[in-house]
Amino acid sequence: MGSLLLVLLLLLLSPSYPRGGSARRRRGARTQSPGGSSHPPFWVRLSPDFKAVPLGGSVWLNCSSSCPLPEGSSLRTELRRGETLSGPRWVSYQLLDVRAWNSDVHCFVTCAGETRGATARITAYKQPTSVILEPPVLMGSDYTLRCHVTHVFPVGFFVVTLRRGGRVIYSESLERFTGLDLANVTLTYLLPSRPGDFGQPVTCHARLNLDGLVVLSSSAPATLPVPAWSPASKALASTSIAAFVGIFLVVGALSLRKYLLMQPPA
């Protein structure tokens, strides 16, 4: 009995005896989950992550990942798909006839049984068909400036600006217009007339800004006209001219008489 107790005591004290804590650690190492260190995380990237496309245009998106051996990739979108190209750890997708204002595109890659994804946003825009500035009209003491911007989309991201001789005289953002259809815009502005404005060129500009993409369209220049003479102004001018001519004739007659008197008698 004493020998048996001694053997059991020696086994318990032996460093090779499987104590409870180390056994749990060994069981944990053998039963790691797929998301543990045996399967390192990987990233998925869809580029570009934002793209503005002219209405009805197309775009290529590249879906790539850091997975060494991807098991598969897929794309989810409401846009019409075109060609597909692929290489090591990447797949490129072509999207056709982009017409929606905002479209989210999702790319998914599966690696070691785990699926991850990335998202890109595609937006469509329409540059103005034309920017037309009507000839300025002087009504009273103000010029009426009227600018037409035709077939634009999306209207709410446009800014219309009027320039006189290269300097901004008026600018208006159209952000209050939230419609997502092609639209025509007319801007009317009253410009107080000044003597120095006569003959100055005026232009109208439509600018679209979509996350750094700037599209600018401009009108042909129009000239500020010289103000027309009113009947009262014409009468005043005629009276002034007649008075000036009368004074000139009187002065001329006096000068001639003085000249004749200074001549010696014949």
Side-chain angles (χ1 to χ4, degrees):
M1 184 68 178
S3 300
L4 180 59
L5 291 175
L6 179 59
V7 171
L8 290 175
L9 181 60
L10 291 175
L11 288 174
L12 289 173
L13 294 177
S14 172
S16 61
Y17 184 80
R19 294 173 174 81
S22 60
R24 284 194 296 271
R25 283 194 294 271
R26 280 193 291 273
R27 285 196 299 270
R30 289 193 298 268
T31 60
Q32 287 180 340
S33 65
S37 59
S38 61
H39 298 287
F42 67 99
W43 52 257
V44 177
R45 183 177 297 122
L46 188 58
S47 59
D49 58 2
F50 173 82
K51 184 68 175 179
V53 182
L55 192 67
S58 62
V59 63
W60 282 89
L61 295 180
N62 183 270
C63 181
S64 58
S65 74
S66 62
C67 178
L69 293 173
E71 298 171 11
S73 65
S74 61
L75 192 75
R76 190 176 70 200
T77 178
E78 295 181 355
L79 299 174
R80 185 158 66 91
R81 290 173 55 170
E83 299 181 48
T84 300
L85 303 175
S86 61
R89 295 189 293 180
W90 62 268
V91 181
S92 289
Y93 301 93
Q94 184 186 32
L95 303 176
L96 305 173
D97 195 26
V98 178
R99 293 185 177 276
W101 158 232
N102 265 336
S103 298
D104 287 336
V105 182
H106 308 276
C107 170
F108 299 97
V109 175
T110 301
C111 181
E114 183 180 359
T115 300
R116 296 190 176 190
T119 301
R121 174 159 292 185
I122 309 299
T123 184
Y125 71 92
K126 173 67 169 61
Q127 187 173 359
T129 301
S130 61
V131 179
I132 302 172
L133 180 63
E134 293 184 6
V137 177
L138 183 61
M139 299 293 293
S141 60
D142 295 329
Y143 289 107
T144 299
L145 304 179
R146 185 168 287 114
C147 178
H148 304 279
V149 183
T150 64
H151 291 88
V152 296
F153 170 82
V155 178
F157 286 79
F158 275 87
V159 175
V160 180
T161 302
L162 295 171
R163 292 177 177 269
R164 174 186 56 202
R167 300 185 63 179
V168 175
I169 55 177
Y170 182 73
S171 184
E172 182 174 342
S173 172
L174 306 181
E175 59 186 358
R176 67 180 183 274
F177 297 99
T178 58
L180 297 179
D181 298 317
L182 283 173
N184 298 325
V185 177
T186 298
L187 174 70
T188 302
Y189 177 70
L190 296 180
L191 173 66
S193 62
R194 301 180 307 178
D197 290 338
F198 306 147
Q200 286 284 324
V202 180
T203 52
C204 180
H205 308 268
R207 179 171 56 88
L208 169 69
N209 192 337
L210 288 175
D211 287 350
L213 171 70
V214 178
V215 178
L216 182 65
S217 301
S218 302
S219 71
T223 302
L224 295 176
V226 176
W229 291 75
S230 65
S233 299
K234 290 181 179 179
L236 179 61
S238 300
T239 303
S240 299
I241 293 174
F244 176 77
V245 171
I247 293 172
F248 178 77
L249 291 175
V250 171
V251 172
L254 292 175
S255 298
L256 179 61
R257 184 171 182 275
K258 183 179 179 180
Y259 173 77
L260 294 176
L261 290 175
M262 292 178 64
Q263 295 299 319

